[in-house]
Amino acid sequence: MTDNDRCDLSFSLKVDVTQQTLHLLSNGKLVKSWPVSTSKFGLGSEPGSYKTPLGKFRIHGKFGEGAAPWAIFKSRLPTGEIAVPGGEEDGVLTRILWLEGLEEANRNTLERYIYIHGTNQEDQIGRPASHGCIRLRNQDVMELFAVVPEGAEVEIA
């Protein structure tokens, strides 16, 4: 039995793209909600489109355990640098939950590197602003990361 088999998979996530919110559910009951930013380029799964995919997913991997808040990541590894708020770059900060598509239409999500992650553009949370990923405030992604297990189901609708 692996650690993933022992995880509490009663947790799931639902991203509401219309409301720009992420809901944490336990056995289908709402535990907590956070504001998010999905893609400013719209919704879809086309390669290179920078759109947020829709459908059913699972958390393929978790990265950033123990990293400092606002830590900058490249290729899912901390660079040792700490971001400052703002700027034009769509930074991947603090924690990463890497999504894997479970449906034919979104099977390419893993190779598109679609994550739930922290951002240097916290002032844009609550409206579409990302390059395809689901952005959270850095403190919020730390809180989510601590409770949701690898393998948990995610729905983006």
Side-chain angles (χ1 to χ4, degrees), residues 124-139:
Q124 295 184 27
I125 296 293
R127 65 179 185 267
S130 82
H131 293 145
C133 292
I134 310 296
R135 295 181 185 169
L136 284 152
R137 291 185 184 108
N138 293 288
Q139 197 59 46

Side-chain angles (χ1 to χ4, degrees), residues 58-126:
R58 75 174 188 94
I59 297 173
H60 175 77
K62 293 174 58 174
F63 302 87
E65 179 76 38
W70 294 78
I72 298 171
F73 285 77
K74 299 285 183 198
S75 301
R76 295 168 306 285
L77 296 172
T79 65
E81 299 173 282
I82 301 297
V84 295
E88 293 300 312
E89 185 175 338
D90 184 17
V92 176
L93 307 183
T94 307
R95 303 286 185 276
I96 298 169
L97 302 170
W98 192 2
L99 299 180
E100 176 181 10
L102 299 177
E103 301 171 322
E104 190 58 41
N106 63 24
R107 286 240 190 264
N108 65 354
T109 300
L110 199 60
E111 50 268 16
R112 287 184 63 215
Y113 302 102
I114 301 295
Y115 307 143
I116 298 171
H117 65 81
T119 181
N120 54 304
Q121 298 175 336
E122 288 190 340
D123 61 322
Q124 295 184 27
I125 296 293

